[in-house]
Amino acid sequence: METQQTSKHSDAAKQPDPMLVRPLQIHRIIKELGDTFSLILQPQDDDADFPFQPGQFNMLYVYGVGEVPISISGDPARRETLVHTTREVGTVTRAMRKLKVGDSLGVRGPYGKGWPVDKAENQDIVLLTGGIGLAPLRPMIHYLLTRREKYGRIVLLYGARTPEDILYRKDLEKWRSRFDLEMHLTVDHATGAWRGNVGVVTSLVSRSPFDPQNCIAMVCGPEIMMRFAVMELQKRGVADDRIYISMERNMKCGIGLCGHCQLGPTFVCKDGPVYCYVDIKDIFTKREM
Amino acid sequence: MRDLEQTLREHPFLEGLDAEHIKLLVGCASNVVFKEGDFVFREGLEANVFYFIRHGRVLIETHVPQKGPIMIRSREAGEILGWSWLVRPYRWHFDARAAELTRAIALDGKCLREKCEEDHDLGYEVMKRFAVIIAELLEATRLQLLDVYGNSTNK
Ligand SMILES: Cc1cc2nc3c(=O)[nH]c(=O)nc-3n(C[C@H](O)[C@H](O)[C@H](O)COP(=O)(O)OP(=O)(O)OC[C@H]3O[C@@H](n4cnc5c(N)ncnc54)[C@H](O)[C@@H]3O)c2cc1C
Ligand code: FES
C-alpha cells in the first residue's frame, strides 16, 4: 500500500490519486454508544478540504492492521473535517476503536455513488433507517436541511434495538424540534422510562405522512431490515424506481478493480453503495447474493 | 352516539363496511379515557373488548422476572388495540398501559361476537379485517425476533 505525505499546497492533496492513502490525524473521538464511536479527522497540516456526496464512503486504514470501508457521516457543508462513525465488529474496527486523539489513520476516497440528491428535488423524502444505518444517512439529512426549500415533506423513520442504542441523540433532538422535518423513532423493545414507539421501524411506514406517488425513499440498515422496508414501501404504493438502498459487501480496492465487492453483475464500491432498487431488485432477494 | 358512528364510519379499519353493519358496531361501542400509567388490560384477565385508539399511545408489555416490564409493542392513534377477544379462551396475553393520556373507542367484544354469530356476513367482514392486523403483527414480531441490529453490522 502506498502512502502519501500531504504537503500544504500539493495538488495531490486536492485531487488525490484514488489509490493513495492520505494520513489523517484523529482530532476528536466521540463515544456514541457502547460499541460505536465517531472519529473526527483532520490533516496533520491545515490544508483541509474533504468534498463528498452524501452516501459515499472512504477506505480507512489502521496502520499495520488493515483497511475497511466506512461511510462518511458528517455534514457535507463542513469540508474542513472528515467524520466517520464506526461500530466495532472485528479485527480492524476493534483496532480502530483503540486509537487515541493525535493518532494517525490512513484514508483514501471518497468512493462510490451516493444518495440521489437531484432526483429527490421537489419530492417528499422518506429516510428509513435502523441501527448504525443512520450514519450514512446523516450527511443526506444535513444536505436536505441546508436546501430545505427544494424538497417536499421530509420524514425520518429511525429504529434502534433499545432506547440505549439510539445513535446521534443530540442530532435527533435538534431535528425533532424542527417544524419542517417529521421524525418518528421506534425501538424493538424497551424497559424503564421509555414512553415512545415500540415495534419495528418498518411498521412506521404505513402511518407516515408522505405522498407515495411523489416521493423518494432512502433506506439504510441491516439488509434484512431493508428487505422488509422495501415491502412496506411497496405496500404504500411507492414505485421501485423511487426506492434507494445502501448496500454493503466486503471490499478491498474500493475502486472497481478487484471484484471483492461483487453484487450480481455490479461492484458495490463503484456502482453502489447506493442503488436504485429497480436496478438490483432481482439480485437483492436472491439468497446466494 | 352520532360522534361514535361518524368516527367508526370514517376509520380506515372499517372502510367498505356497509352502514347497517356500522350501526351494529355502534351498538357495542363506547368512549373511554385512560390516564398516563393506567392499565388498559392485564395479562390473564378476560378479554372482552378491543379499542380504536383516537389519541395517545398504549404500550404493550410483558413482565419478566428480575427484569420487570419489557415493552414489546406500542399502539398509536389511528390503530386498533386488542385481538384476544376474538380467539378462545378470550384472555389477554400481555399487559397494556397508557403511555400518555389516551382516548379510545371501546368495542364490547362479547356483544360483537354474538352479533357476528347471528350475522355471518358481519362476522366475515370483521374476521377479514382482524386477519390483516394479526398478519401484520406476526410479520413485525418475526422481524423483531431476528434482532437485526444485534450482531449484524450492515450499515
Ligand atoms: C460501503 C460500506 C459502508 C460502510 N459503512 C460503515 C459505517 O459507516 N460504519 C460502520 O461501522 N461500518 C460500516 N461498514 C461496515 C464495515 O466496513 C465493516 O463492519 C468492517 O469492514 C468490518 O471489519 P472488521 O475487520 O472490523 O471485521 P471482520 O474481522 O472483517 O469481521 C468481524 C465479523 O463481522 C462480520 N462483518 C464484517 N463486516 C460486516 C458487514 N458489513 N455486515 C455484516 N457483518 C459484517 C463478519 O462476518 C465477522 O463475523 C460499511 C461497509 C461498506 C461496504
Ligand atoms: S472492492 Fe475491489 S472491486 Fe469493489
Side-chain angles (χ1 to χ4, degrees):
Chain A
M1 187 160 306
E2 297 169 77
T3 57
Q4 169 206 349
Q5 292 306 315
T6 48
S7 73
K8 202 169 177 178
H9 301 293
S10 88
D11 287 334
K14 291 237 158 61
Q15 286 182 316
D17 174 327
M19 280 304 276
L20 284 188
V21 175
R22 184 176 182 187
L24 297 184
Q25 205 167 46
I26 299 177
H27 174 63
R28 202 153 76 90
I29 300 174
I30 303 171
K31 188 174 185 293
E32 306 280 5
L33 303 171
D35 57 359
T36 306
F37 55 96
S38 293
L39 299 181
I40 321 296
L41 305 172
Q42 278 182 344
Q44 272 130 356
D45 53 38
D46 60 358
D47 187 14
D49 188 23
F50 302 106
F52 70 96
Q53 294 160 25
Q56 284 191 305
F57 67 95
N58 278 320
M59 295 298 289
L60 303 188
Y61 179 41
V62 181
Y63 293 108
V65 184
E67 205 182 27
V68 286
I70 302 290
S71 305
I72 307 170
S73 62
D75 182 347
R78 305 191 57 189
R79 290 164 51 155
E80 67 284 5
T81 53
L82 200 51
V83 184
H84 286 282
T85 302
T86 305
R87 178 171 168 213
E88 175 188 334
V89 295
T91 316
V92 179
T93 50
R94 191 174 310 127
M96 200 185 289
R97 192 175 166 205
K98 291 197 180 118
L99 296 175
K100 305 219 160 35
V101 169
D103 285 350
S104 197
L105 190 71
V107 178
R108 59 189 177 92
Y111 297 135
K113 293 212 172 85
W115 301 106
V117 289
D118 295 334
K119 192 174 165 187
E121 281 187 18
N122 302 315
Q123 303 288 312
D124 284 357
I125 311 292
V126 185
L127 305 152
L128 208 173
T129 172
I132 198 174
L134 185 55
L137 268 174
R138 187 167 67 166
M140 188 65 214
I141 301 170
H142 284 303
Y143 185 96
L144 293 169
L145 293 178
T146 35
R147 296 161 184 78
R148 185 63 193 86
E149 70 291 348
K150 291 192 172 181
Y151 302 93
R153 274 170 290 194
I154 301 178
V155 180
L156 170 62
L157 309 177
Y158 175 53
R161 193 174 186 226
T162 69
E164 294 73 40
D165 297 312
I166 293 172
L167 195 61
Y168 303 145
R169 274 177 178 274
K170 272 196 196 144
D171 287 324
L172 292 172
E173 273 161 33
K174 236 187 289 163
W175 297 332
R176 191 197 282 283
S177 65
R178 293 182 67 120
F179 294 109
D180 56 358
L181 181 146
E182 171 127 1
M183 190 178 95
H184 295 281
L185 269 184
T186 186
V187 295
D188 276 5
H189 42 86
T191 52
W194 179 257
R195 290 291 169 266
N197 281 309
V198 183
V200 289
V201 65
T202 49
S203 60
L204 299 176
V205 173
S206 62
R207 52 189 155 96
S208 295
F210 63 87
D211 176 359
Q213 259 79 54
N214 291 298
C215 77
I216 294 291
M218 305 182 193
V219 186
C220 189
E223 211 162 300
I224 176 105
M225 181 223 102
M226 294 201 291
R227 291 214 314 261
F228 279 82
V230 168
M231 282 190 260
E232 284 302 317
L233 290 163
Q234 289 169 330
K235 244 196 256 173
R236 257 307 281 271
V238 181
D240 291 349
D241 63 352
R242 295 181 169 275
I243 301 174
Y244 285 78
I245 58 181
S246 181
M247 295 295 293
E248 284 188 15
R249 286 297 178 268
N250 284 340
M251 287 186 184
K252 215 163 185 108
C253 72
I255 54 169
L257 296 177
C258 71
H260 254 76
C261 64
Q262 192 163 357
L263 177 72
T266 78
F267 291 149
V268 174
C269 66
K270 188 165 67 69
D271 306 306
V274 176
Y275 288 89
C276 182
Y277 182 66
V278 83
D279 296 329
I280 55 157
K281 64 177 180 184
D282 293 336
I283 41 182
F284 186 54
T285 45
K286 271 208 189 118
R287 278 180 182 218
E288 59 275 18
M289 297 295 180
Chain B
M1 231 23 175
R2 237 226 211 112
D3 169 47
L4 273 180
E5 186 170 342
Q6 179 155 357
T7 310
L8 290 181
R9 205 171 341 109
E10 287 167 2
H11 200 285
F13 181 69
L14 299 179
E15 199 185 310
L17 200 66
D18 64 43
E20 276 315 299
H21 286 151
I22 300 259
K23 278 218 164 68
L24 284 178
L25 290 187
V26 173
C28 304
S30 58
N31 279 309
V32 287
V33 181
F34 299 96
K35 292 197 298 294
E36 181 186 336
D38 281 357
F39 280 100
V40 179
F41 51 76
R42 305 224 49 174
E43 183 181 335
L45 295 185
E46 215 178 325
N48 271 329
V49 67
F50 72 95
Y51 301 93
F52 290 80
I53 302 178
R54 302 178 77 170
H55 302 283
R57 172 180 297 134
V58 175
L59 292 166
I60 299 173
E61 21 177 82
T62 188
H63 193 273
V64 180
Q66 267 111 51
K67 273 195 175 167
I70 294 191
M71 298 157 223
I72 51 170
R73 174 108 52 237
S74 58
R75 300 307 267 170
E76 319 282 321
E79 293 186 313
I80 303 292
L81 170 68
W83 52 271
S84 299
W85 67 277
L86 193 59
V87 186
R88 254 184 259 277
Y90 313 124
R91 302 238 162 239
W92 296 117
H93 294 81
F94 298 102
D95 291 334
R97 212 142 45 108
E100 54 194 73
L101 181 73
T102 299
R103 296 179 197 282
I105 296 177
L107 262 286
D108 180 338
K110 218 173 189 171
C111 156
L112 189 57
R113 279 200 308 262
E114 281 163 16
K115 289 189 173 164
C116 289
E117 280 300 341
E118 284 162 19
D119 178 347
H120 284 186
D121 285 347
L122 173 65
Y124 179 62
E125 290 298 331
V126 170
M127 279 293 180
K128 258 197 323 197
R129 286 164 171 78
F130 270 93
V132 172
I133 290 190
I134 295 169
E136 279 170 3
L137 288 174
L138 178 62
E139 202 174 281
T141 305
R142 283 181 176 152
L143 188 53
Q144 227 168 351
L145 279 176
L146 288 171
D147 198 13
V148 291
Y149 311 122
N151 299 316
S152 163
T153 60
N154 189 337
K155 302 5 169 249

